[in-house]
Amino acid sequence: MNLAEISVHEAMEWIKNHGALLVDVREVDEVSALGYDVVHQMHIPLSVFESRFQEIPKDKKVIMACRSGARSMRATAFMVQNGWDSEEVVNLNGGMMAWSQSNFPVKGTQS
């Protein structure tokens, strides 16, 4: 299976220029502590992802995100296996760690 990964800079372009949806698969406590601050986003923790993934619209580009990119890669693979287009669903390489290191907008405080 061929899964795409994009950098935080590419992700920001997708969000700004294509209205891409960022789907954060981290758990509630992680998101409460430090969240992505982007317009189009959803939070579906990986622990409940299989029962809620159908909430994600199929008519948008989707960026899967977590802390480092590992959990979101699992979610990306699951989505592609369940009918999403591998060109439209991508993994955020480096996750929140790369996002915050690039000084991209966040909600909360970094620890």
Side-chain angles (χ1 to χ4, degrees), residues 22-83:
L22 186 139
V23 178
D24 192 338
V25 299
R26 296 176 301 151
E27 297 305 314
V28 173
D29 59 330
E30 294 175 275
V31 174
S32 296
L34 187 64
Y36 294 93
D37 191 2
V38 296
V39 177
H40 306 290
Q41 68 174 300
M42 290 178 76
H43 176 227
I44 304 177
L46 192 61
S47 59
V48 297
F49 194 78
E50 289 186 21
S51 64
R52 292 189 49 204
F53 77 98
Q54 291 171 323
E55 296 172 23
I56 300 168
K58 282 193 170 184
D59 62 347
K60 285 185 171 279
K61 290 186 176 290
V62 177
I63 303 163
M64 304 303 294
C66 66
R67 180 178 169 272
S68 67
R71 286 175 287 175
S72 53
M73 181 57 90
R74 292 203 311 262
T76 303
F78 181 84
M79 288 184 63
V80 170
Q81 289 167 350
N82 285 276

Side-chain angles (χ1 to χ4, degrees), residues 72-97:
S72 53
M73 181 57 90
R74 292 203 311 262
T76 303
F78 181 84
M79 288 184 63
V80 170
Q81 289 167 350
N82 285 276
W84 268 260
D85 185 331
S86 61
E87 308 247 331
E88 300 294 311
V89 178
V90 298
N91 186 52
L92 180 61
N93 188 10
M96 177 54 82
M97 294 187 317

